């Protein structure tokens, strides 16, 4: 079928909005009419080749919309059902069977293979030449996405469908790190490095825990202001302050948890240095491919944990479902981060994301 998509032809190339051919859903597959898709730094990283997704192809991995058609064997989903397109998982490997699908052993193929798991690409140009599909199992910078039924999370009635896509990646990543990995105890202190989508999600999530000190560190004053409005008890402007020293002063010693959401190597060191004995530093932000970091050895022996987390861990229905319920209850107001851009302005959305002007641009798809 003919659909409209933002195609990236080559590394660093622009997003070109054009008609392409998308397959009809086969067994286990679902066609989603996309309402809107969040723009995430990972899309930019893939476009620039730091994540080897084959090009030409279609990116986009924070999609939400309504079910347009289901393939053979799909149960529990019918046409018109609003859904978030969650992370893909194989459902058969050791980690998937263990209830940790974010760590699916076939994640690489699922996320950047450029085709169905064990199958061909679902996208072609109108002239019939191949385009890579299934970026994060969805390639949702398009009016339609062909995905698998096991990735979908139903959206409860009454919630704005076009807002929910970012819950699939950036927001789940930050919130899930707090809920599933940090799990702060009553009175805990927590410092979040980087007040972008992931970091602000962590701040909003921390506000739903018994942690009592929630510190946000960033270089943009506007983001620190937003962090305060969303639940940070303290903010540190890293452009003019030694963040580790500031954290130590605020907490009266090292923090219990540091959440590193920037992926900037010197900031990783600061995050590790912000926690002390039996403290935990969570590595959440993605650094460029091949990046390495070093830490002080002796102070790490002090029972310090340095833990990597991906996508917030957990299963999509539980984590994304909880975040939708918290949003509906006014306890996870992530709409404050969002600004909408129509598909033809996707390049402006990317620029706004890179410049920091908009925390979470969301691309709305032409309807009808
Ligand atoms: Zn798996
Ligand atoms: Zn993402």
């Amino acid at each position: 079928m003919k659909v409209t998509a933002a195609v990236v032809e080559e590394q660093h190339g622009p997003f070109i909005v054009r008609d392409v051919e998308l397959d009809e859903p086969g067994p286990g597959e679902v066609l989603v009419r996309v309402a809107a898709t969040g723009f995430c730094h990972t899309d930019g990283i893939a476009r620039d080749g730091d994540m080897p997704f084959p090009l030409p192809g279609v990116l986009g991995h924070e999609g939400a919309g309504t079910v347009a058609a289901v393939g053979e064997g799909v149960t529990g989903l019918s046409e018109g059902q609003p859904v978030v397109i969650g992370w893909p998982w194989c459902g058969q490997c050791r980690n998937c069977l263990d209830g940790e699908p974010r760590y699916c052993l076939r994640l690489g193929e699922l996320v950047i293979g450029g085709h169905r798991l064990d199958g061909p690409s679902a996208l072609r140009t109108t002239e019939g030449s191949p385009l890579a599909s299934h970026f994060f199992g969805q390639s949702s910078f398009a009016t339609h996405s062909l995905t698998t039924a096991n990735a979908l999370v139903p959206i409860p009635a009454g919630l704005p469908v076009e807002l929910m896509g970012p819950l699939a990646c950036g927001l789940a990543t930050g919130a899930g790190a707090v809920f599933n990995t940090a799990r702060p105890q009553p009175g805990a202190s927590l410092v979040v490095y980087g007040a972008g989508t992931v970091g602000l999600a962590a701040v909003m999530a921390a506000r739903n825990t018994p942690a009592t000190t929630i510190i946000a560190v960033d270089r943009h004053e506007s983001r620190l202001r937003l962090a305060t409005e969303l639940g940070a008890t303290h903010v540190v402007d890293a452009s003019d302050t030694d963040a580790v020293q500031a954290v130590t002063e605020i907490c009266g010693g090292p923090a219990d948890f540091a959440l590193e959401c920037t992926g900037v190597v010197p900031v990783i060191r600061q995050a590790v240095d912000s926690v002390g004995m039996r403290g935990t530093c969570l590595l959440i932000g993605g650094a460029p491919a091949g990046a390495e970091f070093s830490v002080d050895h002796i102070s790490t022996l002090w029972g310090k944990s340095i833990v990597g987390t991906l996508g917030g861990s957990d299963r999509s229905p539980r984590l994304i479902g909880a975040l939708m319920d918290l949003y509906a209850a006014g306890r996870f107001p992530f709409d404050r981060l969002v600004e909408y851009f129509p598909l033809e302005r996707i390049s402006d959305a990317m620029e706004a994301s890179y410049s920091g002007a908009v925390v979470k641009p969301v691309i709305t798809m032409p309807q009808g």
Side-chain angles (χ1 to χ4, degrees), residues 40 42 61-62 169-170:
C40 176
T42 306
H61 65 285
E62 295 185 350
C169 178

